């Protein structure tokens, strides 16, 4: 048996759907930027891990002393999520 909806209910349902289907360039740009930055970090750490973190965490050869042990962080249990490597 079909239920009859009044005009206001139908309009309300349409406006709720339109709210989520609207194009939002700023939000799309932010989401795209965060996704691109995350991809760059994963690729960088993957490359560093393949090299055995011989330069530490730094980009290139910086003279500063390493302050964080990237090799230990990449091999710790925190480097996996649901059994899949984060790096």
């Amino acid at each position: 048996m079909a239920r009859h909806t009044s005009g206001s209910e139908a309009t309300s349902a349409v406006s709720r759907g339109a709210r989520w289907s609207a194009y939002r360039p700023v939000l799309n740009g932010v989401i795209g930027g965060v996704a691109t930055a995350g991809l760059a970090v994963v690729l960088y750490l993957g490359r560093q891990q393949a090299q055995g973190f011989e330069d530490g965490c730094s980009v290139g050869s910086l003279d500063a002393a390493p302050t964080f042990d990237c090799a230990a962080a990449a091999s710790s249990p925190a480097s996996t999520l649901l059994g899949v490597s984060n790096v």
Side-chain angles (χ1 to χ4, degrees):
M1 178 181 269
R3 182 177 163 235
H4 178 71
T5 59
S6 69
S8 64
E9 287 180 41
T11 305
S12 153
V14 169
S15 65
R16 270 185 277 148
R19 175 177 42 180
W20 294 109
S21 64
Y23 176 64
R24 301 185 192 287
V26 173
L27 180 61
N28 289 347
V30 168
I31 291 172
V34 169
T36 302
L39 181 62
V41 167
V42 168
L43 291 174
Y44 171 75
L45 287 176
R47 192 183 115 243
Q48 289 287 42
Q49 189 175 26
Q51 295 176 354
F53 293 102
E54 60 191 27
D55 293 333
C57 293
S58 64
V59 177
S61 59
L62 298 176
D63 292 334
T67 59
F68 186 73
D69 188 7
C70 290
S75 62
S76 74
S79 67
T80 60
L81 177 65
L82 301 174
V84 178
S85 175
N86 293 335
V87 179

